[in-house]
Amino acid sequence: RPFCILLPGATPCRNQWAWKSEMLAADKLELTSLIKRNATTLKGKELELNQSNFEAVATQAAVLAGFAVCMLVKVDVPDGVHPLLEALYYFFALINLMCNMACVSAVACVNILGTSLGLRGPDGSVRQAADGMHQQRSHIFWVFGAGLVSCSFAMLLMAWIKMQTLAALSCSTVLLWGLVSGARRALQMKILFRYNDHHEVVKVDDMLTSETVGPESFVRQLGVDSDTLAQLLVNIRQRRHDNKLPPA
């Protein structure tokens, strides 16, 4: 520390301000490193969450694909059945098979390539892998849903092929009720858990500018007990409030 700082009542010299600037830059670098490390950890958890969700969907899709193979191979259509009814049955059974196979293959590719990129890729690869897996989520779920619907329609047609009119009518009522209730429940869940990816995602910049989270509590959440870092966050928030510092 410069000698002029130790003298009582001395005028701050240039070395004193340079020393304070260097300490502030070091604290800022430390804070940036901590934020980056915690952001990487958070993205890693998101990657693991997407991987576990995809594995659950792929397991169900593999089971449905096995049912589809049985529909195509093991089921014998009786003689005298209308050709259009038989053609529609095999059509929906084949769609069921292909959709579920596409779902299983897509999940396998996404999980293998995504986790490999996140663990072995360059700096920032965890974020890229997590975002990529999140983008593939809608496609995988839609293909899985198409397989479920086609399986239900195949079962509906099988009821009219194998059963008498009264039994087929009762089974068709139950199947249609299940389809409608499942679709309504899926829409309710989508509305309940819906959020905007572009405007409602929580970011570190939102934590810095939020009035409900103080800088002291944010610094403690990072695992650091430093008044200097807390004061640095106060200055950043104040400068952003005065439009003197662009957001990160």
Side-chain angles (χ1 to χ4, degrees), residues 181-199:
S181 62
R184 291 180 59 185
R185 179 64 63 180
L187 290 176
Q188 291 176 359
M189 292 298 175
K190 184 177 180 181
I191 295 174
L192 179 62
F193 299 107
R194 182 176 57 187
Y195 66 93
N196 195 325
D197 290 340
H198 300 285
H199 302 287

Side-chain angles (χ1 to χ4, degrees), residues 32-69:
T32 304
S33 301
L34 288 172
I35 293 175
K36 185 177 181 180
R37 184 183 65 184
N38 283 272
T40 303
T41 303
L42 183 61
K43 281 297 181 179
K45 293 181 179 179
E46 182 181 353
L47 190 147
E48 293 177 357
L49 175 63
N50 289 329
Q51 183 181 5
S52 62
N53 291 338
F54 290 161
E55 288 177 353
V57 174
T59 302
Q60 303 300 322
V63 174
L64 290 176
F67 290 162
V69 173

Side-chain angles (χ1 to χ4, degrees), residues 225-238:
D225 187 10
S226 175
D227 296 334
T228 306
L229 291 180
Q231 185 63 34
L232 177 62
L233 287 177
V234 172
N235 295 335
I236 293 175
R237 292 175 58 184
Q238 184 63 32

